[in-house]
Amino acid sequence: AQTVTQSQPEMSVQEAETVTLSCTYDTSESNYYLFWYKQPPSRQMILVIRQEAYKQQNATENRFSVNFQKAAKSFSLKISDSQLGDTAMYFCAFVYSGGGADGLTFGKGTHLIIQP
Amino acid sequence: DAGVTQSPTHLIKTRGQQVTLRCSPKSGHDTVSWYQQALGQGPQFIFQYYEEEERQRGNFPDRFSGHQFPNYSSELNVNALLLGDSALYLCASSLGTGLIYTFGSGTRLTVV
């Protein structure tokens, strides 16, 4: 079984700063996907970024980028030029890419607060 | 473009009762997964439905059951409710074995 660990329960930064959220995972699988989801007070999980394990290049989406270290089983999220609207819970998640039926395994989340 | 719709938004049940939660997937999606998110925790996978069959199940007791209808909508049923079943229940839809999930806003269940 895979596990996902987010070691930062809460982080707070000033608007426009850069912040990095940490995530480590443990799995014996070699083919998988990793995700960062954002959960604002509206409760809906919103996909921020996705990384396929077989791709060495780190994924980027506008202000969001990841540092994927497969050997170290580390998957951190960097948010550049942080905005007030980035305030939310952020969850790191893993899924085995053998069919998707296993469902996502989530970490416990990091509460990110962007201060004005 | 209709996203994932869940109903009801909130409900309160008494211990020992039964509850049914509903989910309509995003247009074009045919697979529905259910998650339980306890307060302060990440979501936990309950099960996934595809072609009206339960395809995979997480570590949840048989009190949790589900159903998928021909129009791909789904229900989650929980019997003999326990106080520990109080949580946010999230539904996620996807297409086939694809790994792009769209989540709903969840149903907040409180068991008293």
Side-chain angles (χ1 to χ4, degrees):
Chain A
Q2 35 275 355
T3 58
V4 176
T5 302
Q6 294 180 249
S7 58
Q8 304 150 313
E10 185 171 287
M11 296 188 71
S12 180
V13 299
Q14 296 294 122
E15 192 176 7
E17 289 184 345
T18 294
V19 59
T20 299
L21 308 184
S22 301
C23 172
T24 58
Y25 60 95
D26 188 23
T27 182
S28 57
E29 306 290 349
S30 57
N31 298 317
Y32 50 88
Y33 285 72
L34 294 161
F35 305 83
W36 278 98
Y37 281 92
K38 171 185 178 181
Q39 188 177 41
S42 67
R43 310 183 314 199
Q44 183 182 17
M45 285 284 186
I46 301 166
L47 178 64
V48 174
I49 201 164
R50 181 175 93 151
Q51 175 78 43
E52 294 145 65
Y54 68 88
K55 288 188 176 179
Q56 294 187 343
Q57 186 174 6
N58 289 324
T60 61
E61 286 288 343
N62 300 313
R63 298 183 295 109
F64 300 88
S65 61
V66 298
N67 183 3
F68 174 48
Q69 301 290 327
K70 190 172 184 179
K73 296 181 181 175
S74 171
F75 183 61
S76 61
L77 173 69
K78 185 172 83 171
I79 305 174
S80 303
D81 186 26
S82 57
Q83 301 174 0
L84 297 178
D86 295 333
T87 293
M89 285 294 296
Y90 286 80
F91 292 94
C92 179
F94 168 105
V95 70
Y96 168 56
S97 57
D102 287 345
L104 293 159
T105 299
F106 286 87
K108 290 188 175 183
T110 296
H111 185 204
L112 176 63
I113 301 168
I114 309 299
Q115 304 276 8
Chain B
D1 179 23
V4 176
T5 304
Q6 292 189 243
S7 63
T9 305
H10 300 85
L11 81 163
I12 300 173
K13 289 287 189 178
T14 302
R15 190 173 48 184
Q17 285 188 316
Q18 178 264 343
V19 68
T20 298
L21 311 182
R22 295 175 175 82
C23 173
S24 293
K26 178 180 177 178
S27 178
H29 284 183
D30 57 6
T31 303
V32 173
S33 304
W34 287 92
Y35 292 82
Q36 180 194 67
Q37 186 178 14
L39 195 62
Q41 302 293 318
Q44 284 194 291
F45 175 67
I46 302 175
F47 42 53
Q48 184 180 86
Y49 276 83
Y50 174 67
E51 293 187 340
E52 302 180 47
E53 298 275 338
E54 182 182 293
R55 192 160 69 171
Q56 189 60 268
R57 187 180 187 92
N59 188 25
F60 279 81
D62 291 344
R63 297 187 298 109
F64 290 77
S65 64
H67 188 78
Q68 186 178 33
F69 299 93
N71 67 352
Y72 308 123
S73 66
S74 177
E75 290 181 348
L76 165 65
N77 301 293
V78 187
N79 295 322
L81 283 167
L82 304 174
L83 296 179
D85 295 331
S86 294
L88 178 68
Y89 289 84
L90 294 167
C91 171
S93 72
S94 55
L95 178 61
T97 57
L99 299 175
I100 301 294
Y101 302 96
T102 300
F103 281 83
S105 295
T107 295
R108 171 73 68 189
L109 171 65
T110 302
V111 182
V112 298

